[in-house]
Amino acid sequence: MPKKLKTIITPNSLIMKTKHLLTTAFALTLFVAKAQETSFGIKFSGFVKTDYFFDSRETYNIREGHFLLYPKEVLPDAEGKDLNAKSSFNFLSIQSRLGGRITGPDAFGAKTSGLLEADFFSNENAYFYDQNGFRLRHAYVKLNWSKTEMLAGQTWHPLFSAECYPGVISFNTGAPFQPFSRNPQLRLTQQFGKLSAAFILSSQLDITSPLGSASLRYSGVPNTSLVLQHKTFDKETGKLWLAGAVADFKMLQPLLATTKDGKQYSTSEKVSGLSFAAFGKHENKEFTAKVHAVYGQNLYDLVMLGGYAVHEVIDPQRNTISYTTLNNLSTWAELNTSGSRWQFGLFGGYARNLGSKKSILAYSNRVDGTASTVRGAAIHSVYRVSPRVILKSGKVQFSTEMELTAAAYATKNSNGTLNRDEFGRITE
């Protein structure tokens, strides 16, 4: 027979709790008073958001279908019926968000500030255990001098431009056409008039390369990026012009050891990827137009097509393997009106699997075919068209969006490029 658990509170514990609460309240009072006197402190913000969505078929997605990538391939059953031709719906509020902008006293001759932001979307690695868990989005400190800025903490990956990204309603934010990831990093930005240059070293956390963040850490080289951006703004006309370019280098060491005949052998084989992006934005009182393009190698960690694969066995005695990257070309464009009450927008994106420059032996980190390291290996291309309508009133917003996403599936050649028939079906 189950026993009931009782909670016993003694007078002493009540006294201790009361003292603790009084001490905390007193400390908070002092903090608020000091912040008011010095104008330093934290300003909280956030929102409550609920999404209602319907999918016409099974999709590859993240978190309960909330972060949609592309539709699944045709999967015939014993009678030829497509098992993936199944619609579904969901209601979710896990995007609701809390944040705090921090201002502090000067340090090292620079203005200091920070941002702490979290939501209930959980982490990718905790999907089955914490589906609406509180998780970190942004957490960084900035030091600003007259023409130099240093940022330390977690924020958007350099291939994601915080000033030029899709304004779609879907939480996928344009993925897999738009690079998407937040990374712990150290960023140094120098201003040269209207031109800025940023040098960034970053690691991985929530969204990682196929075998987790360890493969980047074992390489001994942080993800290294350079961002150039030119920006002009006319206060009288309200016109803004923005153009930028990004170069990004990433090196991974997928394995520390290989296995042959039950024996393990040390390995240090690495795979490197070089990616480039360009973007532009124009904004005025009537509309905002944006465009973005990426040529990328091994962009699995940016929620895009690609990754890396086994090229060949270079030492059969130790089962040592070399790697090659899977490359892709992605682009998107968007137009959105600037009405104060009604807004209309249109997003269009296209991604192409370019395969590899070398032959491919296996789409995994081992020759035995385990642990796939490629996203969308059987996809030739993906495109998306999504119109949207937004209605605003004060701080409340209602939005609706239709998203047509199509994927062309095909078989792989020896170099990873793909063939498909006129319907995008897999061919033998």
Side-chain angles (χ1 to χ4, degrees):
M1 183 176 180
K3 297 181 180 180
K4 293 184 178 180
L5 298 177
K6 295 183 179 180
T7 302
I8 301 175
I9 302 176
T10 64
N12 286 337
S13 64
L14 283 174
I15 293 172
M16 292 300 293
K17 288 184 178 181
T18 303
K19 286 183 178 179
H20 177 72
L21 291 174
L22 288 175
T23 303
T24 304
F26 182 65
L28 287 174
T29 302
L30 288 178
F31 173 79
V32 173
K34 189 172 182 61
Q36 290 177 346
E37 291 176 1
T38 62
S39 72
F40 302 139
I42 183 168
K43 183 178 181 180
F44 293 99
S45 62
F47 56 78
V48 176
K49 184 172 185 281
T50 300
D51 291 86
Y52 308 88
F53 53 93
F54 173 85
D55 294 327
S56 62
R57 70 176 285 114
E58 288 285 277
T59 66
Y60 287 102
N61 60 75
I62 300 172
R63 200 70 73 255
E64 298 288 294
H66 203 9
F67 195 113
L68 184 145
L69 295 177
Y70 39 79
K72 287 187 175 181
E73 63 273 30
V74 175
L75 183 62
D77 67 3
E79 297 179 340
K81 296 180 180 179
D82 183 7
L83 295 175
N84 286 330
K86 183 68 181 74
S87 61
S88 64
F89 77 92
N90 209 347
F91 302 162
L92 291 170
S93 299
I94 57 179
Q95 276 192 57
S96 299
R97 192 173 303 170
L98 291 172
R101 293 194 174 275
I102 304 167
T103 55
D106 293 355
F108 304 104
K111 300 292 183 182
T112 65
S113 62
L115 175 65
L116 184 64
E117 186 179 84
D119 62 18
F120 298 87
F121 199 72
S122 185
N123 293 317
E124 185 178 30
N125 295 335
Y127 176 78
F128 292 106
Y129 309 101
D130 193 20
Q131 294 188 30
N132 58 352
F134 200 51
R135 62 103 187 229
L136 184 69
R137 283 174 52 86
H138 299 275
Y140 59 77
V141 172
K142 289 198 298 186
L143 299 177
N144 285 90
W145 292 270
S146 59
K147 295 183 178 180
T148 306
E149 176 184 280
M150 185 180 75
L151 180 150
Q154 177 170 302
T155 190
W156 292 112
H157 188 280
L159 284 171
F160 183 105
S161 172
E163 295 191 67
C164 184
Y165 64 90
V168 295
I169 307 306
S170 173
F171 187 58
N172 59 32
T173 320
F177 316 97
Q178 162 70 33
F180 185 96
S181 181
R182 287 176 291 270
N183 300 62
Q185 60 189 261
L186 180 64
R187 180 185 298 236
L188 185 64
T189 305
Q190 183 66 38
Q191 199 72 34
F192 303 94
K194 297 178 181 179
L195 177 69
S196 66
F199 179 73
I200 306 100
L201 300 175
S202 58
S203 63
Q204 297 176 354
L205 186 60
D206 293 344
I207 303 176
T208 68
S209 294
L211 301 180
S213 63
S215 57
L216 176 62
R217 292 186 279 117
Y218 287 145
S219 74
V221 180
N223 191 159
T224 305
S225 311
L226 177 65
V227 180
L228 300 177
Q229 186 170 289
H230 187 274
K231 182 178 180 180
T232 61
F233 178 69
D234 189 326
K235 292 183 178 180
E236 294 183 2
T237 62
K239 293 183 178 180
L240 179 145
W241 294 91
L242 175 72
V246 186
D248 183 82
F249 174 78
K250 178 169 63 238
M251 179 186 291
L252 306 177
Q253 182 176 332
L255 298 176
L256 296 181
T258 59
T259 302
K260 180 70 173 182
D261 298 328
K263 298 179 181 179
Q264 284 194 318
Y265 300 92
S266 175
T267 183
S268 59
E269 291 299 314
K270 298 177 176 63
V271 56
S272 300
L274 190 60
S275 302
F276 301 95
F279 57 89
K281 174 182 175 181
H282 172 64
E283 182 178 329
N284 57 42
K285 295 179 180 180
E286 287 77 35
F287 66 89
T288 299
K290 305 172 187 174
V291 63
H292 191 282
V294 180
Y295 167 78
Q297 298 180 328
N298 189 15
L299 293 183
Y300 186 103
D301 58 305
L302 276 298
V303 200
M304 303 184 77
L305 299 179
Y308 64 87
V310 175
H311 168 47
E312 61 181 354
V313 179
I314 58 178
D315 186 350
Q317 299 299 320
R318 294 177 174 81
N319 205 19
T320 305
I321 55 180
S322 64
Y323 304 92
T324 182
T325 61
L326 272 292
N327 313 321
N328 79 83
L329 178 66
S330 301
T331 184
W332 61 265
E334 180 182 82
L335 184 66
N336 194 85
T337 62
S338 303
S340 59
R341 186 171 180 82
W342 288 94
Q343 292 185 3
F344 303 90
L346 179 64
F347 170 88
Y350 178 80
R352 174 72 182 271
N353 186 341
L354 301 178
S356 171
K357 294 182 179 180
K358 301 177 182 179
S359 61
I360 293 174
L361 180 63
Y363 286 80
S364 67
N365 69 311
R366 295 176 176 87
V367 180
D368 60 14
T370 61
S372 175
T373 55
V374 182
R375 177 180 285 109
I379 287 182
H380 173 272
S381 58
V382 181
Y383 72 83
R384 177 179 298 157
V385 178
S386 56
R388 61 182 181 267
V389 179
I390 301 171
L391 173 61
K392 293 183 176 182
S393 178
K395 298 295 183 180
V396 178
Q397 174 177 312
F398 290 94
S399 308
T400 183
E401 180 176 71
M402 184 186 75
E403 186 177 280
L404 171 63
T405 304
Y409 286 85
T411 54
K412 299 176 288 293
N413 290 326
S414 61
N415 69 340
T417 56
L418 304 173
N419 292 325
R420 62 184 176 89
D421 64 16
E422 59 182 323
F423 301 104
R425 297 177 299 195
I426 295 176
T427 57
E428 299 296 330

